[in-house]
Amino acid sequence: MPPKDEIPAPQRRRGAALETALLDAAWDEIVEKGYDGFTIESVAERAQTSRAVIYRRWATKPDLVRAAALHGMRREPASIPDTGSLREDVIALLKGANRTRARYGLLVLLQLNRYFAETGSSFADLREDFIGGRTTALAEIVARGVERGEADPARLTDRVVNVPFDLYRQELLMTLKPVPDEVIESIVDEVFLPLVRPA
């Protein structure tokens, strides 16, 4: 073991590295304890920092919880399939959500009920904050389907475009389990494609 004066001092985290460490710790606290068991003190202890460091960035517990929930969503970015087929792309996107997002969605629904009640917000608000005006993966897939003549742009209202994920989330919420492949294919084949195909 090197002499004490030769042991490098631990690096002090700053900026983005510090914020990531704080949000990682906060998200892990949400996963383990839910909103009711979540405290600024427990996040500070997990992140090995002080409460003052956290309060300089997030003034309240709900502020930190919201930031951590958004951070949790961004830790597993969704890839956008490009199989050359609208049907296959939508099915692949929903199956990918099962692998990467189902656990997150269930955690948010189960662990953050009190947060939503306390703040008067909803999962839809959190999703809107996450998207932040960007084009969604599903919208990009549907746009490619329009270019290939697989979807009629005149039929593509926001409601219609969002049908696959609306039905997917409903199934997830009702069963509290990842959605079976056959249900995903049924959503796409029996509901979505008949709504968007050219007449």
Side-chain angles (χ1 to χ4, degrees), residues 141-170:
I141 285 170
V142 171
R144 290 199 307 249
V146 170
E147 290 173 5
R148 292 191 298 262
E150 297 173 280
D152 180 354
R155 308 182 77 179
L156 298 178
T157 64
D158 286 344
R159 175 65 65 193
V160 168
V161 170
N162 288 318
V163 157
F165 265 113
D166 287 345
L167 293 178
Y168 170 84
R169 280 189 291 268
Q170 173 69 12

PDB file of all heavy atoms in Angstrom, residues 141-170:
ATOM      1  N   ILE A 141     -41.774   6.999 -37.366  1.00  0.00           N
ATOM      2  CA  ILE A 141     -42.080   5.749 -38.065  1.00  0.00           C
ATOM      3  C   ILE A 141     -43.289   5.935 -38.987  1.00  0.00           C
ATOM      4  O   ILE A 141     -43.288   5.487 -40.135  1.00  0.00           O
ATOM      5  CB  ILE A 141     -42.330   4.623 -37.044  1.00  0.00           C
ATOM      6  CG1 ILE A 141     -41.002   4.169 -36.435  1.00  0.00           C
ATOM      7  CG2 ILE A 141     -43.071   3.449 -37.673  1.00  0.00           C
ATOM      8  CD1 ILE A 141     -41.147   3.228 -35.258  1.00  0.00           C
ATOM      9  N   VAL A 142     -44.317   6.599 -38.480  1.00  0.00           N
ATOM     10  CA  VAL A 142     -45.514   6.819 -39.287  1.00  0.00           C
ATOM     11  C   VAL A 142     -45.203   7.723 -40.482  1.00  0.00           C
ATOM     12  O   VAL A 142     -45.696   7.489 -41.593  1.00  0.00           O
ATOM     13  CB  VAL A 142     -46.651   7.402 -38.419  1.00  0.00           C
ATOM     14  CG1 VAL A 142     -47.827   7.829 -39.291  1.00  0.00           C
ATOM     15  CG2 VAL A 142     -47.110   6.372 -37.387  1.00  0.00           C
ATOM     16  N   ALA A 143     -44.357   8.731 -40.289  1.00  0.00           N
ATOM     17  CA  ALA A 143     -43.977   9.611 -41.402  1.00  0.00           C
ATOM     18  C   ALA A 143     -43.279   8.815 -42.504  1.00  0.00           C
ATOM     19  O   ALA A 143     -43.515   9.061 -43.703  1.00  0.00           O
ATOM     20  CB  ALA A 143     -43.076  10.732 -40.891  1.00  0.00           C
ATOM     21  N   ARG A 144     -42.432   7.878 -42.117  1.00  0.00           N
ATOM     22  CA  ARG A 144     -41.792   7.029 -43.128  1.00  0.00           C
ATOM     23  C   ARG A 144     -42.825   6.157 -43.837  1.00  0.00           C
ATOM     24  O   ARG A 144     -42.727   5.896 -45.039  1.00  0.00           O
ATOM     25  CB  ARG A 144     -40.719   6.143 -42.484  1.00  0.00           C
ATOM     26  CG  ARG A 144     -39.490   6.909 -42.021  1.00  0.00           C
ATOM     27  CD  ARG A 144     -38.288   6.007 -41.813  1.00  0.00           C
ATOM     28  NE  ARG A 144     -38.578   4.875 -40.944  1.00  0.00           N
ATOM     29  CZ  ARG A 144     -38.084   4.724 -39.719  1.00  0.00           C
ATOM     30  NH1 ARG A 144     -37.276   5.641 -39.217  1.00  0.00           N
ATOM     31  NH2 ARG A 144     -38.395   3.670 -39.001  1.00  0.00           N
ATOM     32  N   GLY A 145     -43.837   5.697 -43.069  1.00  0.00           N
ATOM     33  CA  GLY A 145     -44.909   4.913 -43.683  1.00  0.00           C
ATOM     34  C   GLY A 145     -45.686   5.721 -44.711  1.00  0.00           C
ATOM     35  O   GLY A 145     -46.087   5.193 -45.753  1.00  0.00           O
ATOM     36  N   VAL A 146     -45.888   7.003 -44.440  1.00  0.00           N
ATOM     37  CA  VAL A 146     -46.559   7.885 -45.402  1.00  0.00           C
ATOM     38  C   VAL A 146     -45.734   7.983 -46.677  1.00  0.00           C
ATOM     39  O   VAL A 146     -46.262   7.878 -47.798  1.00  0.00           O
ATOM     40  CB  VAL A 146     -46.794   9.280 -44.796  1.00  0.00           C
ATOM     41  CG1 VAL A 146     -47.257  10.268 -45.870  1.00  0.00           C
ATOM     42  CG2 VAL A 146     -47.822   9.207 -43.670  1.00  0.00           C
ATOM     43  N   GLU A 147     -44.423   8.156 -46.534  1.00  0.00           N
ATOM     44  CA  GLU A 147     -43.545   8.265 -47.705  1.00  0.00           C
ATOM     45  C   GLU A 147     -43.593   7.004 -48.570  1.00  0.00           C
ATOM     46  O   GLU A 147     -43.477   7.071 -49.794  1.00  0.00           O
ATOM     47  CB  GLU A 147     -42.099   8.518 -47.257  1.00  0.00           C
ATOM     48  CG  GLU A 147     -41.878   9.897 -46.654  1.00  0.00           C
ATOM     49  CD  GLU A 147     -40.480  10.053 -46.075  1.00  0.00           C
ATOM     50  OE1 GLU A 147     -39.658   9.111 -46.225  1.00  0.00           O
ATOM     51  OE2 GLU A 147     -40.213  11.108 -45.464  1.00  0.00           O
ATOM     52  N   ARG A 148     -43.769   5.846 -47.940  1.00  0.00           N
ATOM     53  CA  ARG A 148     -43.827   4.585 -48.691  1.00  0.00           C
ATOM     54  C   ARG A 148     -45.237   4.279 -49.189  1.00  0.00           C
ATOM     55  O   ARG A 148     -45.459   3.249 -49.833  1.00  0.00           O
ATOM     56  CB  ARG A 148     -43.340   3.429 -47.814  1.00  0.00           C
ATOM     57  CG  ARG A 148     -41.862   3.472 -47.479  1.00  0.00           C
ATOM     58  CD  ARG A 148     -41.404   2.166 -46.838  1.00  0.00           C
ATOM     59  NE  ARG A 148     -42.082   1.918 -45.579  1.00  0.00           N
ATOM     60  CZ  ARG A 148     -41.571   2.183 -44.368  1.00  0.00           C
ATOM     61  NH1 ARG A 148     -40.354   2.712 -44.280  1.00  0.00           N
ATOM     62  NH2 ARG A 148     -42.257   1.927 -43.279  1.00  0.00           N
ATOM     63  N   GLY A 149     -46.215   5.122 -48.869  1.00  0.00           N
ATOM     64  CA  GLY A 149     -47.588   4.889 -49.298  1.00  0.00           C
ATOM     65  C   GLY A 149     -48.345   3.909 -48.433  1.00  0.00           C
ATOM     66  O   GLY A 149     -49.424   3.436 -48.817  1.00  0.00           O
ATOM     67  N   GLU A 150     -47.827   3.611 -47.227  1.00  0.00           N
ATOM     68  CA  GLU A 150     -48.490   2.653 -46.340  1.00  0.00           C
ATOM     69  C   GLU A 150     -49.507   3.321 -45.422  1.00  0.00           C
ATOM     70  O   GLU A 150     -50.284   2.624 -44.760  1.00  0.00           O
ATOM     71  CB  GLU A 150     -47.450   1.930 -45.479  1.00  0.00           C
ATOM     72  CG  GLU A 150     -46.457   1.096 -46.259  1.00  0.00           C
ATOM     73  CD  GLU A 150     -45.374   0.557 -45.333  1.00  0.00           C
ATOM     74  OE1 GLU A 150     -44.442   1.306 -45.005  1.00  0.00           O
ATOM     75  OE2 GLU A 150     -45.495  -0.611 -44.938  1.00  0.00           O
ATOM     76  N   ALA A 151     -49.472   4.635 -45.319  1.00  0.00           N
ATOM     77  CA  ALA A 151     -50.397   5.357 -44.448  1.00  0.00           C
ATOM     78  C   ALA A 151     -50.895   6.599 -45.176  1.00  0.00           C
ATOM     79  O   ALA A 151     -50.153   7.239 -45.919  1.00  0.00           O
ATOM     80  CB  ALA A 151     -49.718   5.747 -43.139  1.00  0.00           C
ATOM     81  N   ASP A 152     -52.152   6.927 -44.942  1.00  0.00           N
ATOM     82  CA  ASP A 152     -52.797   8.077 -45.572  1.00  0.00           C
ATOM     83  C   ASP A 152     -52.664   9.284 -44.654  1.00  0.00           C
ATOM     84  O   ASP A 152     -53.229   9.291 -43.549  1.00  0.00           O
ATOM     85  CB  ASP A 152     -54.269   7.745 -45.802  1.00  0.00           C
ATOM     86  CG  ASP A 152     -55.035   8.885 -46.460  1.00  0.00           C
ATOM     87  OD1 ASP A 152     -54.454   9.981 -46.637  1.00  0.00           O
ATOM     88  OD2 ASP A 152     -56.220   8.675 -46.772  1.00  0.00           O
ATOM     89  N   PRO A 153     -51.918  10.326 -45.060  1.00  0.00           N
ATOM     90  CA  PRO A 153     -51.721  11.482 -44.172  1.00  0.00           C
ATOM     91  C   PRO A 153     -53.020  12.156 -43.769  1.00  0.00           C
ATOM     92  O   PRO A 153     -53.096  12.769 -42.700  1.00  0.00           O
ATOM     93  CB  PRO A 153     -50.833  12.417 -44.995  1.00  0.00           C
ATOM     94  CG  PRO A 153     -50.969  11.968 -46.407  1.00  0.00           C
ATOM     95  CD  PRO A 153     -51.248  10.505 -46.352  1.00  0.00           C
ATOM     96  N   ALA A 154     -54.064  12.048 -44.595  1.00  0.00           N
ATOM     97  CA  ALA A 154     -55.347  12.672 -44.266  1.00  0.00           C
ATOM     98  C   ALA A 154     -56.017  11.995 -43.072  1.00  0.00           C
ATOM     99  O   ALA A 154     -56.904  12.571 -42.441  1.00  0.00           O
ATOM    100  CB  ALA A 154     -56.279  12.619 -45.478  1.00  0.00           C
ATOM    101  N   ARG A 155     -55.583  10.795 -42.739  1.00  0.00           N
ATOM    102  CA  ARG A 155     -56.214  10.053 -41.638  1.00  0.00           C
ATOM    103  C   ARG A 155     -55.411  10.159 -40.344  1.00  0.00           C
ATOM    104  O   ARG A 155     -55.815   9.635 -39.317  1.00  0.00           O
ATOM    105  CB  ARG A 155     -56.362   8.576 -42.030  1.00  0.00           C
ATOM    106  CG  ARG A 155     -57.059   8.374 -43.371  1.00  0.00           C
ATOM    107  CD  ARG A 155     -57.226   6.923 -43.712  1.00  0.00           C
ATOM    108  NE  ARG A 155     -58.328   6.334 -42.961  1.00  0.00           N
ATOM    109  CZ  ARG A 155     -58.711   5.058 -43.077  1.00  0.00           C
ATOM    110  NH1 ARG A 155     -58.085   4.251 -43.893  1.00  0.00           N
ATOM    111  NH2 ARG A 155     -59.725   4.603 -42.370  1.00  0.00           N
ATOM    112  N   LEU A 156     -54.281  10.846 -40.398  1.00  0.00           N
ATOM    113  CA  LEU A 156     -53.339  10.813 -39.276  1.00  0.00           C
ATOM    114  C   LEU A 156     -53.547  11.967 -38.299  1.00  0.00           C
ATOM    115  O   LEU A 156     -52.736  12.894 -38.215  1.00  0.00           O
ATOM    116  CB  LEU A 156     -51.901  10.810 -39.805  1.00  0.00           C
ATOM    117  CG  LEU A 156     -51.529   9.601 -40.665  1.00  0.00           C
ATOM    118  CD1 LEU A 156     -50.104   9.729 -41.162  1.00  0.00           C
ATOM    119  CD2 LEU A 156     -51.717   8.310 -39.883  1.00  0.00           C
ATOM    120  N   THR A 157     -54.606  11.920 -37.541  1.00  0.00           N
ATOM    121  CA  THR A 157     -54.763  12.860 -36.430  1.00  0.00           C
ATOM    122  C   THR A 157     -53.804  12.434 -35.307  1.00  0.00           C
ATOM    123  O   THR A 157     -53.289  11.306 -35.301  1.00  0.00           O
ATOM    124  CB  THR A 157     -56.196  12.833 -35.894  1.00  0.00           C
ATOM    125  OG1 THR A 157     -56.461  11.526 -35.356  1.00  0.00           O
ATOM    126  CG2 THR A 157     -57.205  13.142 -37.002  1.00  0.00           C
ATOM    127  N   ASP A 158     -53.559  13.328 -34.368  1.00  0.00           N
ATOM    128  CA  ASP A 158     -52.706  12.980 -33.226  1.00  0.00           C
ATOM    129  C   ASP A 158     -53.248  11.757 -32.496  1.00  0.00           C
ATOM    130  O   ASP A 158     -52.492  10.889 -32.064  1.00  0.00           O
ATOM    131  CB  ASP A 158     -52.602  14.162 -32.251  1.00  0.00           C
ATOM    132  CG  ASP A 158     -51.711  15.277 -32.778  1.00  0.00           C
ATOM    133  OD1 ASP A 158     -50.942  15.024 -33.733  1.00  0.00           O
ATOM    134  OD2 ASP A 158     -51.788  16.392 -32.225  1.00  0.00           O
ATOM    135  N   ARG A 159     -54.573  11.691 -32.337  1.00  0.00           N
ATOM    136  CA  ARG A 159     -55.186  10.563 -31.639  1.00  0.00           C
ATOM    137  C   ARG A 159     -54.896   9.251 -32.359  1.00  0.00           C
ATOM    138  O   ARG A 159     -54.541   8.248 -31.732  1.00  0.00           O
ATOM    139  CB  ARG A 159     -56.695  10.790 -31.523  1.00  0.00           C
ATOM    140  CG  ARG A 159     -57.473   9.641 -30.920  1.00  0.00           C
ATOM    141  CD  ARG A 159     -57.114   9.381 -29.481  1.00  0.00           C
ATOM    142  NE  ARG A 159     -57.485  10.494 -28.624  1.00  0.00           N
ATOM    143  CZ  ARG A 159     -57.065  10.643 -27.386  1.00  0.00           C
ATOM    144  NH1 ARG A 159     -56.237   9.761 -26.852  1.00  0.00           N
ATOM    145  NH2 ARG A 159     -57.446  11.669 -26.664  1.00  0.00           N
ATOM    146  N   VAL A 160     -55.040   9.255 -33.675  1.00  0.00           N
ATOM    147  CA  VAL A 160     -54.806   8.027 -34.451  1.00  0.00           C
ATOM    148  C   VAL A 160     -53.341   7.611 -34.380  1.00  0.00           C
ATOM    149  O   VAL A 160     -53.022   6.435 -34.167  1.00  0.00           O
ATOM    150  CB  VAL A 160     -55.263   8.220 -35.915  1.00  0.00           C
ATOM    151  CG1 VAL A 160     -54.755   7.083 -36.801  1.00  0.00           C
ATOM    152  CG2 VAL A 160     -56.786   8.308 -35.989  1.00  0.00           C
ATOM    153  N   VAL A 161     -52.435   8.557 -34.533  1.00  0.00           N
ATOM    154  CA  VAL A 161     -51.005   8.229 -34.493  1.00  0.00           C
ATOM    155  C   VAL A 161     -50.619   7.633 -33.142  1.00  0.00           C
ATOM    156  O   VAL A 161     -49.781   6.729 -33.068  1.00  0.00           O
ATOM    157  CB  VAL A 161     -50.152   9.482 -34.801  1.00  0.00           C
ATOM    158  CG1 VAL A 161     -48.670   9.221 -34.530  1.00  0.00           C
ATOM    159  CG2 VAL A 161     -50.357   9.908 -36.251  1.00  0.00           C
ATOM    160  N   ASN A 162     -51.251   8.107 -32.082  1.00  0.00           N
ATOM    161  CA  ASN A 162     -50.891   7.649 -30.735  1.00  0.00           C
ATOM    162  C   ASN A 162     -51.622   6.387 -30.294  1.00  0.00           C
ATOM    163  O   ASN A 162     -51.358   5.877 -29.198  1.00  0.00           O
ATOM    164  CB  ASN A 162     -51.159   8.766 -29.722  1.00  0.00           C
ATOM    165  CG  ASN A 162     -50.140   9.885 -29.846  1.00  0.00           C
ATOM    166  OD1 ASN A 162     -48.964   9.634 -30.008  1.00  0.00           O
ATOM    167  ND2 ASN A 162     -50.610  11.122 -29.777  1.00  0.00           N
ATOM    168  N   VAL A 163     -52.518   5.863 -31.124  1.00  0.00           N
ATOM    169  CA  VAL A 163     -53.292   4.683 -30.743  1.00  0.00           C
ATOM    170  C   VAL A 163     -52.425   3.507 -30.293  1.00  0.00           C
ATOM    171  O   VAL A 163     -52.719   2.877 -29.260  1.00  0.00           O
ATOM    172  CB  VAL A 163     -54.252   4.275 -31.885  1.00  0.00           C
ATOM    173  CG1 VAL A 163     -54.637   2.799 -31.801  1.00  0.00           C
ATOM    174  CG2 VAL A 163     -55.515   5.125 -31.834  1.00  0.00           C
ATOM    175  N   PRO A 164     -51.354   3.140 -31.009  1.00  0.00           N
ATOM    176  CA  PRO A 164     -50.587   1.969 -30.561  1.00  0.00           C
ATOM    177  C   PRO A 164     -50.066   2.100 -29.129  1.00  0.00           C
ATOM    178  O   PRO A 164     -50.223   1.174 -28.323  1.00  0.00           O
ATOM    179  CB  PRO A 164     -49.439   1.892 -31.571  1.00  0.00           C
ATOM    180  CG  PRO A 164     -49.959   2.552 -32.793  1.00  0.00           C
ATOM    181  CD  PRO A 164     -50.843   3.654 -32.292  1.00  0.00           C
ATOM    182  N   PHE A 165     -49.478   3.254 -28.805  1.00  0.00           N
ATOM    183  CA  PHE A 165     -48.946   3.403 -27.451  1.00  0.00           C
ATOM    184  C   PHE A 165     -50.047   3.633 -26.417  1.00  0.00           C
ATOM    185  O   PHE A 165     -49.912   3.214 -25.264  1.00  0.00           O
ATOM    186  CB  PHE A 165     -47.903   4.518 -27.379  1.00  0.00           C
ATOM    187  CG  PHE A 165     -46.497   3.998 -27.517  1.00  0.00           C
ATOM    188  CD1 PHE A 165     -45.746   4.311 -28.624  1.00  0.00           C
ATOM    189  CD2 PHE A 165     -45.951   3.168 -26.547  1.00  0.00           C
ATOM    190  CE1 PHE A 165     -44.458   3.810 -28.766  1.00  0.00           C
ATOM    191  CE2 PHE A 165     -44.669   2.667 -26.671  1.00  0.00           C
ATOM    192  CZ  PHE A 165     -43.914   2.988 -27.786  1.00  0.00           C
ATOM    193  N   ASP A 166     -51.148   4.266 -26.812  1.00  0.00           N
ATOM    194  CA  ASP A 166     -52.259   4.424 -25.870  1.00  0.00           C
ATOM    195  C   ASP A 166     -52.801   3.053 -25.449  1.00  0.00           C
ATOM    196  O   ASP A 166     -53.031   2.794 -24.260  1.00  0.00           O
ATOM    197  CB  ASP A 166     -53.380   5.256 -26.492  1.00  0.00           C
ATOM    198  CG  ASP A 166     -53.021   6.737 -26.598  1.00  0.00           C
ATOM    199  OD1 ASP A 166     -52.040   7.162 -25.945  1.00  0.00           O
ATOM    200  OD2 ASP A 166     -53.710   7.461 -27.334  1.00  0.00           O
ATOM    201  N   LEU A 167     -52.979   2.161 -26.414  1.00  0.00           N
ATOM    202  CA  LEU A 167     -53.485   0.827 -26.106  1.00  0.00           C
ATOM    203  C   LEU A 167     -52.435  -0.009 -25.374  1.00  0.00           C
ATOM    204  O   LEU A 167     -52.763  -0.802 -24.484  1.00  0.00           O
ATOM    205  CB  LEU A 167     -53.935   0.121 -27.384  1.00  0.00           C
ATOM    206  CG  LEU A 167     -55.155   0.740 -28.079  1.00  0.00           C
ATOM    207  CD1 LEU A 167     -55.489  -0.014 -29.354  1.00  0.00           C
ATOM    208  CD2 LEU A 167     -56.363   0.754 -27.147  1.00  0.00           C
ATOM    209  N   TYR A 168     -51.184   0.178 -25.747  1.00  0.00           N
ATOM    210  CA  TYR A 168     -50.095  -0.532 -25.060  1.00  0.00           C
ATOM    211  C   TYR A 168     -50.054  -0.139 -23.581  1.00  0.00           C
ATOM    212  O   TYR A 168     -49.990  -0.998 -22.693  1.00  0.00           O
ATOM    213  CB  TYR A 168     -48.769  -0.192 -25.743  1.00  0.00           C
ATOM    214  CG  TYR A 168     -47.553  -0.673 -24.985  1.00  0.00           C
ATOM    215  CD1 TYR A 168     -47.091  -1.972 -25.127  1.00  0.00           C
ATOM    216  CD2 TYR A 168     -46.874   0.185 -24.120  1.00  0.00           C
ATOM    217  CE1 TYR A 168     -45.973  -2.419 -24.426  1.00  0.00           C
ATOM    218  CE2 TYR A 168     -45.768  -0.259 -23.414  1.00  0.00           C
ATOM    219  CZ  TYR A 168     -45.323  -1.552 -23.577  1.00  0.00           C
ATOM    220  OH  TYR A 168     -44.226  -1.985 -22.867  1.00  0.00           O
ATOM    221  N   ARG A 169     -50.120   1.174 -23.303  1.00  0.00           N
ATOM    222  CA  ARG A 169     -50.080   1.642 -21.911  1.00  0.00           C
ATOM    223  C   ARG A 169     -51.306   1.165 -21.126  1.00  0.00           C
ATOM    224  O   ARG A 169     -51.204   0.830 -19.945  1.00  0.00           O
ATOM    225  CB  ARG A 169     -49.971   3.168 -21.860  1.00  0.00           C
ATOM    226  CG  ARG A 169     -48.560   3.686 -22.082  1.00  0.00           C
ATOM    227  CD  ARG A 169     -48.469   5.172 -21.797  1.00  0.00           C
ATOM    228  NE  ARG A 169     -49.189   5.952 -22.774  1.00  0.00           N
ATOM    229  CZ  ARG A 169     -48.647   6.453 -23.879  1.00  0.00           C
ATOM    230  NH1 ARG A 169     -47.364   6.261 -24.136  1.00  0.00           N
ATOM    231  NH2 ARG A 169     -49.367   7.160 -24.726  1.00  0.00           N
ATOM    232  N   GLN A 170     -52.456   1.134 -21.789  1.00  0.00           N
ATOM    233  CA  GLN A 170     -53.663   0.652 -21.119  1.00  0.00           C
ATOM    234  C   GLN A 170     -53.490  -0.811 -20.698  1.00  0.00           C
ATOM    235  O   GLN A 170     -53.843  -1.200 -19.580  1.00  0.00           O
ATOM    236  CB  GLN A 170     -54.866   0.803 -22.062  1.00  0.00           C
ATOM    237  CG  GLN A 170     -56.157   0.183 -21.560  1.00  0.00           C
ATOM    238  CD  GLN A 170     -56.745   0.906 -20.364  1.00  0.00           C
ATOM    239  OE1 GLN A 170     -56.323   2.005 -20.030  1.00  0.00           O
ATOM    240  NE2 GLN A 170     -57.722   0.294 -19.723  1.00  0.00           N
TER     241      GLN A 170
END
